[in-house]
Amino acid sequence: MAYQSSRRIRTRRHVSISHARQFFTLSRFIKYGFFLLIALIIAVPILFLWYSRDLPKPGQLVTSQHSDATRIYDRHGALLYSVYQDENRTYVTLDKIPKILQESTIAIEDKDFYKNEGFSPIAYLRVAKNYAMGEGLGGGSTITQQLVKNVLLEDSRKVLSRKIKELILAIQVNQAYSKDQILEMYLNNIPYGGTAVGVEAASEQYFGKSAKDLDLGQSAFLAGLPQNPSIYTPFSGNKYYLARTKAVLKQLVSDGYTTQVQSDKSYKEIANYQFSQKDATIKAPHFVMYVKQKLAEQFGEQMVTTGGLQVTTTLDYPIEKKTEDIVKSQIAGLKTTKVTNGAAIVEDPKTGEILAMDGSADYFDQNNDGNFNAAIAQRQPGSSLKPIMYATAFTKGYTPATLLMDVQTNFPTGVAGQPDYSPVNYDGKFHGPVQVRYALANSFNVPAVKMLAKVGITPVMQQAYDMGIENWNPTPQNRASVGLSLVLGGRETTLLGEVTAYGVFANEGIRQDPVTILKVTDSKGKVLYQHDPTPGKRVLSDAVSFLISHILLDNSARVLEFGPNSALVVPGHTVPVKTGTTDEKRDNWTVGYTSSYVVGVWVGNNDNSPMSQKLASGITGAAPIWNAIMSSVLKGKPDEQPKKPDNVVAVQVDGFGGGLPHAGQPTRSEYFIKGTEPTAESPIFQSKDGKNYIVIRENDPVSTDGVNRWQAGIDAWIAQNHGSDELWHPSGDVIRQATGDHSQDPTPTPTPGGDATPTPTPDL
């Protein structure tokens, strides 16, 4: 009992000590918190006084202090566009601005405008949280703060000092003016895109009417612009303004300013409205609007619209002008093929510099959404990205001589209730045994799908993403949305992305991201930004790049599908090139390159409607446009052939099987990366008891039920084309002899994160 009593005493003592420690710890926290509070009480006024010493007076709000034009030049100094060379501004009083436009602005920008003191404490807490998490100082601005930022503060950088100045001025302005006065000044001083400053100028620019006559939909559209006019203007080459207008209307409904029925009707009005922009002073309009958006992202909207920036771009205007002329004239000649639009990009692959960007046949064609920039729009690539898939295969040991069977083949989709996937070729035919060189050069579909199945979808998506196809990032979500049709156009990309990716092949495996701006100075010549050329990032070996390039320049290899004199041939120049056409002919592509230029062309319709079935890839559509542009940029230039790396060797191979020469049959020369070249005859050639046989066997790496659909397709093809030929019908002993002793394909090395299923018995 004494022992238990003693233990209880010790336990109580430990509890008391623990409570005491907790008390002293809490006391320390309270003490430190108290000192921190005192420090803040002292520091904040000092901080405010320090930053208040050189602030402009709120009275300057009545007129903007900015008037210098931002000018955008090409690389040679030719003026492309003056953003504010003719600033359009008409001040109107608040009673001349529709109530619904005022309400739309308040609803989307600052719903507590009439209640707050010029700033939002909750918004500042959110900004502080984002800043602590490394997400920058953006957001959190009230209407008052936006007015201050656009009129009184020259420095638009997102730095702490500017945020503090913005807060101080907002408080002062809120005390000096009524809310109606602040709203009136805001609506008259905020940029709305293009040359429009204030709602009156914006109303005239976009709708050809005075602001007092704006309706609900038009008011919602204008209210959505100030957040980022360079992006939301309908003249940016995109239609981001539709989602923004919908967001404004949704907020108006939520706040009780309008009904859902009225909102839906107004949205349809804006969605169907044809915005018109006629400006004879603008050159390379799609490129200029793209650059203007990039400038706004880097320097802020205010600096772009009124900050007097002097911008030297990468554009080569003579190349741009020639490109525009070619696209416009050739699209006009494609009316019989139901093609209404086209886009083209010319890039220097060594630097990533964009030399030309034409986003449509005619920027000012209002009837066909000419200001829509198709060069940066997501479209189905068709077969145009097959080279990336084969490049991935070459990194895993496959070669241009690897034999694949182009026969009708069923591929399980993996989705219950869905029929097997059965791709066909562009010409509607199947070509039997083909080596990779000819499969890629002629863009045969079944061999491409088979190789994708061997290599794995995830590694191919990763390779494409590494090369610049951003929409192919193999995230779990993206990966779940694609299947074996990926290589035939199963996931969208942009023309700019394709040009970037093909630039990797042109640049011997090194990626250079697109560059559009070389230098930015202020109106006094102070350099604000200077592009620093980079060595780029290696994303593919020079050997693999060479193999792909050599296949794509091989006119004799593609003659079966394109003929000897197609638009893919540029006389006097060695140019690797690839086409692509989607199902139902909704998109048609041609991308080709030398070591100095990458030229990419897309044709189709903005509404994604099908083109005529008469359109033939490589003959009509994008290919002739590409040929004309490439011929133009290469005129007078020396021929540039891809540079063969030292670890690539040429070997004579059997023209049919792809192994070493066999029994006096026709041979050809093929390039191999050292270590992958054949060391024996192709295992398809077998002999037994003095008789010769051809044994072609393929495993089915995507079968989920044990059925070898690949071999079933091969057997059906043999029965149809070589039904009575003993050469093609070996006995079981011969087949076992072939599959047990020889290997044609390398066994793929599983890639981390990949989804290829290596087959234990190599295909023959």
Side-chain angles (χ1 to χ4, degrees), residues 132 317 324 376 451 519 592 666 685 715 734 743:
Y317 186 66
E324 290 179 9
I376 58 175
M451 185 59 84
K519 185 178 180 180
F685 300 114
D715 293 342
V734 176
S743 166

Side-chain angles (χ1 to χ4, degrees), residues 387-459:
I388 296 178
M389 185 275 296
Y390 282 111
T392 310
F394 291 164
T395 66
K396 294 177 175 292
Y398 294 97
T399 76
T402 295
L403 191 66
L404 296 166
M405 286 297 290
D406 180 24
V407 298
Q408 185 171 353
T409 308
N410 297 326
F411 300 88
T413 61
V415 179
Q418 283 195 6
D420 288 347
Y421 172 51
S422 300
V424 296
N425 289 316
Y426 187 85
D427 60 5
K429 303 175 183 177
F430 297 101
H431 307 89
V434 291
Q435 295 174 35
V436 163
R437 173 173 290 272
Y438 301 97
L440 172 55
N442 292 283
S443 200
F444 295 151
N445 288 335
V446 176
V449 174
K450 286 184 174 180
M451 185 59 84
L452 176 62
K454 291 170 178 285
V455 173
I457 294 174
T458 300

Side-chain angles (χ1 to χ4, degrees), residues 661-676:
H662 171 74
Q665 290 193 162
T667 63
R668 65 180 185 85
S669 180
E670 183 56 270
Y671 283 112
F672 298 87
I673 300 173
K674 285 183 179 178
T676 67

Side-chain angles (χ1 to χ4, degrees), residues 452-503:
L452 176 62
K454 291 170 178 285
V455 173
I457 294 174
T458 300
V460 171
M461 291 183 71
Q462 184 65 56
Q463 184 65 64
Y465 178 69
D466 291 344
M467 293 174 68
I469 309 299
E470 300 207 357
N471 197 39
W472 283 31
N473 186 4
T475 62
Q477 182 180 4
N478 290 346
R479 176 61 186 85
S481 67
V482 298
L484 292 176
S485 63
L486 172 72
V487 78
L488 305 184
R491 188 164 182 82
E492 295 177 328
T493 186
T494 65
L495 180 60
L496 182 59
E498 291 224 3
V499 167
T500 302
Y502 275 86

Side-chain angles (χ1 to χ4, degrees), residues 232-271:
Y232 293 129
T233 173
F235 307 142
S236 69
N238 294 287
K239 291 193 174 184
Y240 299 138
Y241 66 88
L242 290 177
R244 182 65 175 165
T245 301
K246 182 176 287 187
V248 176
L249 289 168
K250 181 179 180 181
Q251 193 63 48
L252 286 170
V253 173
S254 176
D255 293 348
Y257 291 118
T258 189
T259 66
Q260 188 63 54
V261 172
Q262 292 172 319
S263 171
D264 293 342
K265 181 181 178 181
S266 297
Y267 175 77
K268 289 180 181 178
E269 172 201 338
I270 297 301

Side-chain angles (χ1 to χ4, degrees), residues 546-561:
F546 173 80
L547 293 182
I548 294 295
S549 295
H550 197 270
I551 293 172
L552 297 182
L553 64 81
D554 189 348
N555 194 50
S556 62
R558 62 175 173 247
V559 71
L560 180 63
E561 199 69 18

Side-chain angles (χ1 to χ4, degrees), residues 499-551:
V499 167
T500 302
Y502 275 86
V504 173
F505 295 132
N507 202 27
E508 301 177 13
I510 295 175
R511 170 179 167 175
Q512 289 283 9
D513 289 331
V515 178
T516 55
I517 301 172
L518 294 177
K519 185 178 180 180
V520 180
T521 67
D522 64 14
S523 58
K524 298 178 182 179
K526 180 183 177 182
V527 177
L528 304 178
Y529 169 79
Q530 181 91 41
H531 173 63
D532 184 17
T534 70
K537 179 182 179 182
R538 179 164 294 284
V539 294
L540 202 63
S541 74
D542 58 348
V544 170
S545 297
F546 173 80
L547 293 182
I548 294 295
S549 295
H550 197 270
I551 293 172

